Amino acid sequence: MTSDKKTLIAGATGQIGSSVGEYLSRAGGWNPIGLARTPDLEADYPMIAIDLTNPEDCLSKLSGITDITHILYAARFDHYGGELESKDINVAMLKNLIDAVEPYAKNLQHVHLVHGTKFYGHTIAKRSVPYREEDACGNYNSFYFEQQSLIEQRQRNKNWSWSISRPHAFCNYRTDEPRNLILVVAIYATIMRELGLPLTFPGTPVSYMAKTQFSWLPTLAHAAAWMMREPQCANQAYNVVNGDPKSWSQLWPLFAEYFDMKIGEPVSSSFAQFASDKASIWRSITEKYNLIHTELLEIAQWPYGDYVLSVQWDVISDMTKIQRDGFNERVDSENMWLRGFDYFRAQRIIP
Ligand SMILES: NC(=O)c1ccc[n+]([C@@H]2O[C@H](COP(=O)([O-])OP(=O)(O)OC[C@H]3O[C@@H](n4cnc5c(N)ncnc54)[C@H](OP(=O)(O)O)[C@@H]3O)[C@@H](O)[C@H]2O)c1
């Protein structure tokens, strides 16, 4: 690995942006520079405060950094829970960044975009699984299709290349990220157990039986770095998931066993509805078990949990292409979940 890379990470404070930034900074040679409106002042690499919706801000802060070699694009404009993100704003953000960097960075080598399975339209229609990278886009209202078209068009006849990762629900062990599925389930189970209730699944029987998948963020960070590095990844998209699709009906008994609870049937409810009147119970649990003080509606984003649980049909990405091209890291999802519960116990978030 040469040490003359300089890598812009757009969305450096986000879930994947911070994981990639941390990884590239530790790996050495990538010389990351983070971009976000509110930079992380604790990060161990430099960050620039920038508003990607503002073309002048981008030009004035980036066009002078002429030795940028790589861009890792993991920015996404503000959105909450599972609703569809704005296509126009997200496409404009990528365009503003490319306009401010590409004409000036004479040694630009690669642009990587972090996208996801919304490309296949997994939220709007059942289609044959596993999803393959060459499948037609299944949701033209998501910003992924237009960002991909933009980057393909901008790359034409240029010396640099692009790649795209298509992960699914991000999982990581962090206490400062409320969009955190493992934490949602851990707190839900803790409260249900304290109330003497079985671990019911707050969703429909259909969602309980459908297969879904997860992306362990450290592995996604490794995969993104691999794509930015390897010539065979030039101008390619890759699915990046743990590789062991599971139904909630397979995971739920494991969770019940971990928390030493009886398992309940699916109930047509939701995490958001559940959490709406449990703030005081949660406060008393944190006091009773001497946990770190946390507010129930702040520590975890409950509607996000509902979005991930509400799978209507099998959502499975094919991992043949990435494996064929040389990336072989796989994650055992069951172990990922259980070690996550261990982590939140060790952090004194749950008893
Ligand atoms: N989260 C998931 O489970 C998941 C699953 C599959 C795919 N994906 C995809 O992965 C990509 C990254 O998602 P994520 O969850 O890591 O993102 P995220 O946590 O929502 O972070 C978004 C990042 O973008 C930055 N940002 C937002 N608006 C900005 C602006 N106007 N100017 C500059 N920076 C701006 C934010 O920083 P500031 O707010 O400080 O500006 C933040 O660093 C997205 O394409 C997403 O759809 C996510």
Side-chain angles (χ1 to χ4, degrees), residues 9-31:
I9 301 180
T13 56
Q15 291 206 59
I16 183 59
S18 57
S19 288
V20 179
E22 206 180 292
Y23 173 65
L24 295 185
S25 170
R26 261 190 290 113
W30 290 91
N31 301 312

Side-chain angles (χ1 to χ4, degrees), residues 10-17 35-39 50-53 73-79 85 93 114-118 143-144 147 167-171 177 179 304:
T13 56
Q15 291 206 59
I16 183 59
L35 307 178
R37 285 166 303 182
T38 312
I50 198 162
D51 183 353
L52 292 172
T53 65
Y73 190 88
R76 168 170 57 170
F77 195 67
D78 308 329
H79 92 300
E85 302 89 342
M93 283 165 62
V114 180
H115 281 171
T117 33
K118 276 183 194 158
F143 66 86
Y144 296 153
Q147 280 196 343
H168 197 62
F170 289 173
C171 291
E177 172 53 68
R179 250 176 326 121
Y304 173 73

Side-chain angles (χ1 to χ4, degrees), residues 76 85-87 90-91 115 141-147:
R76 168 170 57 170
E85 302 89 342
S86 161
K87 183 164 65 172
N90 280 289
V91 173
H115 281 171
N141 287 323
S142 98
F143 66 86
Y144 296 153
F145 181 78
E146 284 204 17
Q147 280 196 343

Side-chain angles (χ1 to χ4, degrees), residues 48-187:
I48 298 173
I50 198 162
D51 183 353
L52 292 172
T53 65
N54 181 333
E56 289 79 32
D57 199 31
C58 293
L59 264 177
S60 73
K61 289 175 180 161
L62 298 177
S63 59
I65 315 177
T66 54
D67 54 351
I68 293 163
T69 57
H70 293 73
I71 300 175
L72 183 295
Y73 190 88
R76 168 170 57 170
F77 195 67
D78 308 329
H79 92 300
Y80 191 78
E83 93 275 3
L84 202 58
E85 302 89 342
S86 161
K87 183 164 65 172
D88 292 348
I89 297 177
N90 280 289
V91 173
M93 283 165 62
L94 175 63
K95 181 177 181 302
N96 292 340
L97 177 64
I98 298 295
D99 285 349
V101 175
E102 202 261 346
Y104 310 96
K106 296 300 175 207
N107 192 22
L108 184 65
Q109 292 169 28
H110 196 87
V111 179
H112 179 82
L113 310 183
V114 180
H115 281 171
T117 33
K118 276 183 194 158
F119 179 86
Y120 302 112
H122 78 90
T123 54
I124 58 174
K126 181 176 184 173
R127 65 191 291 178
S128 64
V129 288
Y131 304 146
R132 295 178 205 283
E133 289 85 344
E134 63 271 24
D135 289 351
C137 177
N139 187 354
Y140 293 96
N141 287 323
S142 98
F143 66 86
Y144 296 153
F145 181 78
E146 284 204 17
Q147 280 196 343
Q148 179 167 339
S149 303
L150 174 74
I151 210 70
E152 284 172 347
Q153 188 204 330
R154 296 296 293 259
Q155 183 276 335
R156 218 158 281 145
N157 303 321
K158 300 281 173 58
N159 288 331
W160 53 273
S161 58
W162 59 264
S163 60
I164 290 177
S165 48
R166 294 191 187 140
H168 197 62
F170 289 173
C171 291
N172 205 2
Y173 303 158
R174 283 177 64 163
T175 55
D176 58 350
E177 172 53 68
R179 250 176 326 121
N180 188 325
L181 196 54
I182 301 178
L183 185 58
V184 166
V185 173
I187 295 178

Side-chain angles (χ1 to χ4, degrees), residues 180-218:
N180 188 325
L181 196 54
I182 301 178
L183 185 58
V184 166
V185 173
I187 295 178
Y188 173 75
T190 300
I191 297 176
M192 292 295 271
R193 186 179 57 191
E194 196 69 14
L195 294 173
L197 297 170
L199 189 65
T200 51
F201 176 80
T204 66
V206 170
S207 301
Y208 197 51
M209 297 313 294
K211 285 214 159 70
T212 189
Q213 56 191 356
F214 310 100
S215 293
W216 173 238
L217 276 182

